[in-house]
Amino acid sequence: LEIVTDELRRAGLGFEYRHVTDEAGYRRELRQFQPDIILSDYNVPGFGGLEALAVRNRERPALPFIFVSGTLGEERAVETLRSGATDYVLKDRLTRLPSAVRRALEEARVAAAADAEHALNQAILETADALIVTLDEHENILHPNPAAQRVAALDERDITGQSFRECFIVAEQADAFRVRMLADGESGRGTESAWQAMTPSRRTVVWSGSPLHSGQHPEARLVLCGIDITDQERAREQAYFLDHFDPLTQ
């Protein structure tokens, strides 16, 4: 233990730690101490490193886990990585440990930030009043947010994989939509201006679009955002009627 902590401190790493040797203590400190990283020997009497890794996989799978062992052959090293370990360092090469710890902590930080951003974006998609639809290269729907599902009068299971035109564009406007999408796709800049279309459920929607380049979803090619203006259109028509025809009824 001392040679590990001394090596980390020599490298300028400040830290607090808990040392445990049994499963009960390990589980307790996972809950109470809330470590940022786990350093584990492979061979621990009564509660081995792979067992500790299995507990971490179930309870805190994003927590970095590094094996620090005196003897770890190639076969075992591969086994640890396949089982979910972040890295392994041999005790006769402890000078590598500080860089392995820093790298593991930074990768965990980046992953946590990405997860938080994804959760935020997902919350926005799920609660937005705007219709948000992602399409693949064939203009089939990959993901419709709840607002889009309501306007299409279809649930996610029925709408996913279907043609955007069939779900959101009335037949008489489908060809015009196709021409628009082809032109915008060739420009690579998305829609230059918003365009209006009627849905099969008789809702009037103003759409705009943008190419989508996502590492997490490489199949996605286009994201369309729509605003349902049906109620505004109806209110405008009613106001026009009242302005122009109500005097005739008085």
Side-chain angles (χ1 to χ4, degrees), residues 20-22 40-52:
V20 297
T21 58
D22 57 32
S40 174
D41 203 335
Y42 187 86
N43 295 307
V44 180
F47 184 61
L50 285 179
E51 293 171 292

Side-chain angles (χ1 to χ4, degrees), residues 98-113:
S99 62
V101 168
R102 288 191 177 100
R103 181 172 60 253
L105 290 173
E106 176 62 14
E107 289 175 353
R109 184 195 66 78
V110 171

